Amino acid sequence: MSALRSGDIPEGMIQAMDAAKRQGLQKDLRALAANIRADAEGRYDSAEPGWRAGVEWTLLWIENTASQLTEDRPGAGAGGRGQGVSPEW
């Protein structure tokens, strides 16, 4: 059996693997956001000013990042440095 070379993998297969990785990362990010949201519930009342805004900003950033992973545009991939979305303060 010979070693697999990069040219041996069809481009379609590489794209499918990349899409699967992005979808998996997207699922993980959304699970993280759900865990943060669940942990933060009930803590808003006793938190210092600005804490709630920080949590909400973080959740928005995570969701924006997750959404970018499956958009059809250049740089939207997991390793890409496309147009970043940063929630406004």
Side-chain angles (χ1 to χ4, degrees):
M1 184 175 223
S2 64
L4 192 63
R5 295 181 300 265
S6 63
D8 294 340
I9 302 172
E11 184 63 30
M13 181 66 76
I14 292 170
Q15 290 175 354
M17 289 186 301
D18 185 48
K21 283 189 234 177
R22 285 183 277 130
Q23 288 173 348
L25 181 56
Q26 183 181 56
K27 181 179 175 185
D28 290 347
L29 285 170
R30 290 197 167 132
L32 173 64
N35 287 338
I36 291 170
R37 188 173 289 111
D39 287 345
E41 286 180 4
R43 296 182 187 191
Y44 287 140
D45 295 335
S46 62
E48 293 180 26
W51 187 84
R52 181 178 183 151
V55 170
E56 296 298 328
W57 184 93
T58 300
L59 293 173
L60 181 58
W61 184 87
I62 291 170
E63 180 55 40
N64 285 341
T65 301
S67 295
Q68 287 179 2
L69 292 172
T70 55
E71 288 180 3
D72 289 333
R73 64 182 179 150
R81 297 277 189 241
Q83 299 170 346
V85 173
S86 178
E88 295 296 324
W89 281 93

